[in-house]
Amino acid sequence: MNDLFTLITNEKRSLLRGYLVLFVLVLPFTFIPAIIRQGFSFQAFGQQVPEKALVAALIAAGFIVLLLLNNYEKLLQKKRLYDFPAFTSLHFNGAVEGYNAIIKEVSTYLFGKAGDYFFRVNIINPKQQNVQIELSPLIHIGRNQELLDKLMQDLHLKENLYLSRVISLPEEQLHQSDVIKNELLKLSEELSKLGAIPMAVEEHGLQAIP
């Protein structure tokens, strides 16, 4: 429960903004049944505003609670998986993204160095039996389209929010301490062969060093 309270505390601004947005979106729809039954009347409209505003407020609050609980459940699942040897043996730092964003869920990931590159390691689907793990190297590509094409074709990296390789592992395999480490070292070696330039970062802050 402490984790849930922490999530609510850190997200109180975005939760409030999300609540207000949902309230404004829902409110007009609460008048539709009355308009269908009675037709539109300014007098009737004005009389129903307090009642419909209460309904909209309750619906918006319900949506926020459901979204919060769903996000919290995912965070708990990821936290449980990150405690497996495959992740703890990396000795990576934990980080959080998505705070104070209305539409983006709060998410946790790991960040650290393997071989010559820093990597962002993220669990995509913590609720499924086969865990999909996103390995994202922090490399400098700039406008080098030829390098980008090689990375995507030769190394099978995919470009989403991050240029990443996604591996799928059954939960039982996460008990092996070297399973993810070996994947990172292999990817680091492949990146080095293609001449990918490591991005200079601060290990604790993910801020690019000028």
Side-chain angles (χ1 to χ4, degrees):
M1 288 301 293
N2 288 336
D3 291 335
L4 179 59
F5 290 138
T6 301
L7 177 61
I8 293 173
T9 301
N10 291 333
E11 282 290 277
K12 58 185 176 183
R13 291 184 179 179
S14 62
L15 289 173
L16 179 58
R17 291 199 302 270
Y19 172 79
L20 293 175
V21 169
L22 285 171
F23 175 80
V24 172
L25 291 175
V26 170
L27 182 59
F29 290 96
T30 61
F31 290 94
I32 292 178
I35 293 174
I36 294 175
R37 290 194 309 267
Q38 305 171 6
F40 183 79
S41 167
F42 281 108
Q43 183 178 1
F45 182 85
Q47 292 174 348
Q48 294 180 15
V49 167
E51 177 187 349
K52 302 304 183 184
L54 177 60
V55 172
L58 292 175
I59 293 175
F63 272 113
I64 290 296
V65 170
L66 289 176
L67 291 172
L68 183 64
L69 291 177
N70 181 61
N71 194 185
Y72 176 61
E73 183 183 2
K74 287 183 179 179
L75 289 174
L76 286 182
Q77 289 284 352
K78 292 181 77 170
K79 183 177 180 181
R80 181 183 69 85
L81 293 172
Y82 284 140
D83 285 336
F84 278 76
F87 293 103
T88 57
S89 64
L90 297 174
H91 303 294
F92 279 12
N93 294 324
V96 180
E97 66 179 357
Y99 274 144
N100 296 320
I102 296 176
I103 61 172
K104 187 176 182 181
E105 290 185 337
V106 175
S107 181
T108 53
Y109 62 95
L110 301 179
F111 171 73
K113 192 172 185 180
D116 297 325
Y117 300 87
F118 283 97
F119 288 89
R120 180 185 184 276
V121 177
N122 181 42
I123 297 173
I124 300 176
N125 57 342
K127 294 183 179 181
Q128 295 187 16
Q129 186 173 4
N130 283 337
V131 183
Q132 286 189 328
I133 304 165
E134 185 181 55
L135 310 178
S136 307
L138 273 67
I139 55 178
H140 180 73
I141 297 177
R143 298 182 180 180
N144 192 338
Q145 186 63 41
E146 182 181 356
L147 174 60
L148 179 60
D149 292 340
K150 285 184 178 180
L151 292 172
M152 297 180 70
Q153 293 173 9
D154 297 351
L155 304 190
H156 305 291
L157 300 186
K158 296 183 179 180
E159 189 175 17
N160 193 4
L161 290 176
Y162 304 91
L163 192 63
S164 309
R165 174 181 290 173
V166 177
I167 60 174
S168 182
L169 299 174
E171 188 172 308
E172 296 78 16
Q173 202 168 348
L174 297 179
H175 289 283
Q176 301 176 21
S177 60
D178 59 349
V179 61
I180 298 178
K181 183 187 300 183
N182 288 342
E183 288 288 340
L184 291 172
L185 291 174
K186 177 183 176 182
L187 182 52
S188 175
E189 183 179 350
E190 293 171 340
L191 290 168
S192 182
K193 288 180 180 179
L194 287 180
I197 301 175
M199 185 180 294
V201 297
E202 294 179 4
E203 189 169 353
H204 298 286
L206 277 178
Q207 296 297 320
I209 299 173

